[in-house]
Amino acid sequence: MIQTPPLRAAIYARYSSDQQREASIEDQLRICRRLIESKSWTIAEVYSDAAMSGASALRPEYQKLQDDARRGRIDVVVSESLDRISRDQEHIAGFYKQMSFLGIPLITVAEGEISELHIGLKGTMSALYLKDLAQKTHRGLEGRVRDGKSAGGISYGYKVHRELRADGTLTTGERVIDPNEAAIVTRIFTEYAAGRSARTIAAALNDEGIPSPDSGKGNGTWGPSTISGNWKRGTGILNNELYIGRLIWNRQSFPKDPKTQKRQARMNPPEEWVIEEVPELRILSDDLWQQAKDRQGAIRADMNPAGVQSVRLQPERARRPDYLFSGLVKCGCCGASYTLINKTRYGCAAARNKGEAICTNRATIQREEVESRVLAGLREKLLHPELIAAFIEEYRRAFNEAAGDRSSAQDQAKRDLKQVEKKITGILAAIEDGMYHPSMKTKMADLETRKTRLTAFLEDTPEPPALRLHPRLSDLYREKIENLSAALKEPGMKLEATQILRSLIAEIRMVPETSAPGGHEIELLGELAGILALSETDTTKPPHLARARNSVESVKMVAGADNHLHLPPSTLIFPMLRQVEPEILREIFRTAA
């Protein structure tokens, strides 16, 4: 009689990532070995996947088990229960179908030998379990968000904050502003609003060795996408509304592709978003946030001038202008662009590219002359006493607004400190009366910590000084205006000042005139013309026309259709003066002792 060799059994064990219990693997292996011994089988191989979800088929040991089965290295598969193999209906059905084709029975300690009935019932139950678990997890995370807590992950600019509860456990989901990272966030928004690109900002941060948001995961570096992200999905530094105290959750969902088992990001409808106000986490002012968003919108408009929703954006259209007035100079005869016909001179593009049938204007002019004449006219008009007075008043308002914010923060800290000291006094009085309770110790420690923080804040934040304008403030204004051309070339202020100046000019119209300097009269259209018109003393002129003349140039200023001044006269120069702080600030202001 020929003796049949014992079956070669393979054991598969797994525990899911939501349980995180290493001992679970050993427990499963022990009961599976006991079953194998009772059947007088031999153990051919042990396969185990630790901390891996049963909803995924991309498990290394699970894949190795199937490969060994196809190679004929095992005769039977043993597991604790069917849901250890998989919790996905499609996957468990496919595994059973493959093992049946290979003639390998699937046996579990909980269900015995698996049949089609088990696959149908247990597969359905596992699928329902996963769905129910996902819904409960989602519900729990939503509750945390509505309490203003983190639902997982900490944004750049913040750090985890944990406190000891009375029962000895630690709080979770709490976060506070990280001062160092918050300063970098403010810097990124300020530089971006001033005209720097995300690529330039990222390169500067890397050069300075400033850790990026991904530094905790390895040797992370700053990149343009880290800063710009995706404005629709709310990713990237520039799109994180938490910086203005607005927490948005459930903006996206991440279903798995059944073919690749990889998660795919999908936008949820706005009505499903969870939005909570968390003012204590605000880092940026609304003005700075809006300046950055306006620039983002302008760049998108440049990349898609027609505004077609389905069109692919063209980043090359949003390239920063090469020169101060690039793209703004137009032919006064036909309306076509005045472009550089060589390295130094502007000329009508239509006259050169389309012939005399379109335009007969063949006059040219030096680029630098156009810039100097426009800036010279601007310089002369901005020195008008009324505009100097408007600038000084704008500076006074900005200074007092900043001082007011500091004073408000001080007042709130003083009120909070008074409340904390009152509570400490109450607890001490209760202890003296013999009403001590162990929880008082934790409460007292929390109050003392708050008292220390508030006291330190008040010591580090002196009372805002009374503002007294230095008599040299108007002289400083004059110096900056008189050196306007040079100021626009200084690296520290070029981007911001150029951006503001270009935003005030809708068009620079070049009108050929042989008797004018450079063979052209120059007309300005836009908000800038309105600013210059404010200084006109000749009130007999029509309100839409202002003309500036001197010995070397003729510059005509034509306002726009509405002729309204939407920006204060100091808007152009104020950013320049901001660059001199804090060195010259002490010279500009005398503050009360």
Side-chain angles (χ1 to χ4, degrees):
M1 180 178 180
I2 300 175
Q3 188 174 6
T4 304
L7 296 179
R8 296 167 297 169
I11 302 177
Y12 181 78
R14 177 191 64 81
Y15 74 87
S16 59
S17 56
D18 59 338
Q19 294 176 350
Q20 295 294 320
R21 182 170 174 263
E22 291 286 350
S24 177
I25 293 288
E26 293 301 323
D27 293 340
Q28 294 176 50
L29 295 179
R30 184 175 60 254
I31 61 176
C32 288
R33 286 192 179 102
R34 189 181 303 157
L35 174 63
I36 292 172
E37 290 175 2
S38 68
K39 300 288 188 179
S40 299
W41 299 335
T42 61
I43 299 176
E45 189 66 64
V46 174
Y47 308 86
S48 63
D49 288 307
M52 302 198 73
S53 172
S56 171
L58 301 178
R59 291 169 270 152
E61 291 292 286
Y62 176 72
Q63 294 293 335
K64 186 173 183 292
L65 167 62
Q66 296 182 76
D67 185 60
D68 287 348
R70 285 190 291 269
R71 294 171 182 270
R73 295 175 179 175
I74 57 178
D75 300 316
V76 60
V77 176
V78 177
S79 186
E80 178 195 31
S81 61
L82 193 59
D83 56 19
R84 295 298 94 196
I85 302 293
S86 179
R87 286 188 179 276
D88 184 275
Q89 284 179 294
E90 179 184 1
H91 296 162
I92 190 61
F95 182 82
Y96 175 77
K97 190 174 183 179
Q98 184 182 43
M99 294 302 109
S100 298
F101 172 75
L102 297 172
I104 300 174
L106 174 58
I107 298 176
T108 67
V109 177
E111 297 94 3
E113 185 169 355
I114 300 301
S115 65
E116 286 80 359
L117 183 62
H118 293 98
I119 296 299
L121 292 176
K122 293 288 290 188
T124 301
M125 291 174 63
S126 294
L128 291 175
Y129 167 80
L130 288 175
K131 185 176 181 180
D132 183 60
L133 179 63
Q135 290 175 341
K136 289 180 179 178
T137 302
H138 193 273
R139 182 188 64 196
L141 292 175
E142 180 178 346
R144 294 172 68 83
V145 172
R146 294 195 180 280
D147 288 338
K149 296 184 178 182
S150 170
I154 298 294
S155 297
Y156 186 82
Y158 305 92
K159 59 184 177 181
V160 177
H161 177 67
R162 292 179 178 172
E163 292 184 347
L164 189 65
R165 297 191 184 98
D167 60 0
T169 60
L170 291 173
T171 59
T172 59
E174 304 286 351
R175 53 193 161 184
V176 294
I177 294 174
D178 184 317
N180 295 329
E181 292 186 356
I184 300 301
V185 170
T186 303
R187 169 183 168 179
I188 289 172
F189 272 83
T190 302
E191 293 185 358
Y192 185 82
R196 283 179 169 80
S197 67
R199 187 182 302 277
T200 302
I201 297 171
L205 295 173
N206 288 329
D207 289 342
E208 296 172 29
I210 296 174
S212 74
D214 297 327
S215 296
K217 302 176 183 178
N219 296 324
T221 56
W222 291 91
S225 60
T226 309
I227 295 173
S228 295
N230 185 307
W231 68 278
K232 288 184 178 181
R233 299 183 184 277
T235 60
I237 298 289
L238 293 175
N239 303 305
N240 190 347
E241 295 192 39
L242 191 59
Y243 297 142
I244 54 171
R246 197 163 182 252
L247 175 59
I248 301 181
W249 180 75
N250 202 41
R251 193 196 299 259
Q252 302 180 82
S253 56
F254 299 88
K256 283 186 179 179
D257 185 328
K259 185 176 181 179
T260 64
Q261 288 299 300
K262 293 183 178 180
R263 301 199 310 164
Q264 301 290 328
R266 290 182 182 174
M267 292 294 296
N268 291 332
E271 57 269 18
E272 295 183 7
W273 299 1
V274 178
I275 303 175
E276 291 294 328
E277 298 296 329
V278 283
E280 68 277 8
L281 297 180
R282 174 186 284 269
I283 292 178
L284 305 172
S285 67
D286 289 333
D287 288 343
L288 182 55
W289 170 268
Q290 193 57 48
Q291 288 173 26
K293 302 313 289 184
D294 289 344
R295 181 160 183 255
Q296 278 185 313
I299 291 174
R300 288 196 299 273
D302 289 341
M303 291 190 289
N304 180 19
V308 181
Q309 295 294 325
S310 59
V311 74
R312 183 175 180 178
L313 299 180
Q314 301 179 47
E316 64 275 8
R317 290 181 177 268
R319 191 180 68 177
R320 186 181 295 116
D322 293 328
Y323 301 104
L324 181 59
F325 299 132
S326 294
L328 298 177
V329 187
K330 305 293 182 181
C331 177
C333 298
C334 67
S337 294
Y338 249 49
T339 59
L340 288 173
I341 60 174
N342 54 38
K343 292 183 178 180
T344 60
R345 301 187 71 85
Y346 278 129
C348 176
R352 280 152 181 79
N353 299 330
K354 299 182 180 180
E356 294 185 357
I358 304 299
C359 185
T360 59
N361 177 16
R362 305 288 293 186
T364 65
I365 186 171
Q366 287 277 352
R367 174 185 61 81
E368 293 184 353
E369 181 178 351
V370 175
E371 294 177 357
S372 64
R373 286 174 60 182
V374 172
L375 292 176
L378 173 64
R379 181 172 60 244
E380 175 187 346
K381 295 301 179 179
L382 285 178
L383 287 175
H384 192 278
E386 291 184 10
L387 294 186
I388 295 177
F391 165 76
I392 294 175
E393 181 57 33
E394 179 72 9
Y395 208 114
R396 184 201 303 273
R397 184 199 62 77
F399 185 94
N400 290 337
E401 181 178 327
D405 291 342
R406 187 164 22 148
S407 177
S408 176
Q410 271 197 333
D411 293 341
Q412 182 63 47
K414 289 177 181 178
R415 289 192 294 269
D416 292 345
L417 181 60
K418 187 175 181 180
Q419 289 292 326
V420 168
E421 290 176 339
K422 183 178 179 180
K423 291 179 180 180
I424 291 175
T425 302
I427 293 177
L428 292 175
I431 293 175
E432 290 175 357
D433 293 338
M435 296 189 301
Y436 175 76
H437 188 275
S439 62
M440 290 182 176
K441 182 178 180 180
T442 302
K443 184 67 174 177
M444 179 65 81
D446 293 341
L447 291 172
E448 288 291 349
T449 300
R450 289 192 61 195
K451 180 180 177 180
T452 301
R453 290 175 181 171
L454 290 170
T455 302
F457 173 79
L458 291 172
E459 291 176 351
D460 295 339
T461 311
E463 293 285 345
L467 174 64
R468 295 180 183 176
L469 291 177
H470 194 284
R472 279 207 67 242
L473 182 58
S474 60
D475 294 336
L476 178 62
Y477 175 91
R478 287 179 180 275
E479 291 171 8
K480 288 293 181 182
I481 296 302
E482 289 171 355
N483 296 307
L484 182 61
S485 297
L488 285 170
K489 297 177 182 178
E490 293 181 17
M493 62 184 69
K494 179 180 178 181
L495 283 173
E496 184 174 8
T498 300
Q499 184 179 6
I500 294 172
L501 181 58
R502 287 178 59 86
S503 70
L504 297 175
I505 299 175
E507 183 178 317
I508 300 175
R509 187 173 296 167
M510 308 300 297
V511 181
E513 176 59 55
T514 55
S515 61
H520 288 79
E521 285 191 347
I522 301 177
E523 298 178 356
L524 295 185
L525 285 79
E527 299 284 354
L528 183 59
I531 290 179
L532 301 185
L534 288 179
S535 63
E536 285 293 335
T537 57
D538 184 1
T539 57
T540 62
K541 294 180 180 180
H544 68 280
L545 181 64
R547 186 182 300 271
R549 291 186 182 274
N550 59 31
S551 59
V552 296
E553 58 196 346
S554 173
V555 182
K556 184 184 297 182
M557 308 299 177
V558 183
D562 55 3
N563 198 29
H564 289 307
L565 181 64
H566 302 296
L567 297 173
S570 58
T571 300
L572 177 62
I573 310 305
F574 193 68
M576 297 182 185
L577 288 183
R578 283 208 303 268
Q579 303 296 329
V580 304
E581 298 179 5
E583 291 79 5
I584 302 181
L585 188 61
R586 289 188 291 271
E587 181 184 354
I588 298 176
F589 295 111
R590 288 177 182 164
T591 56

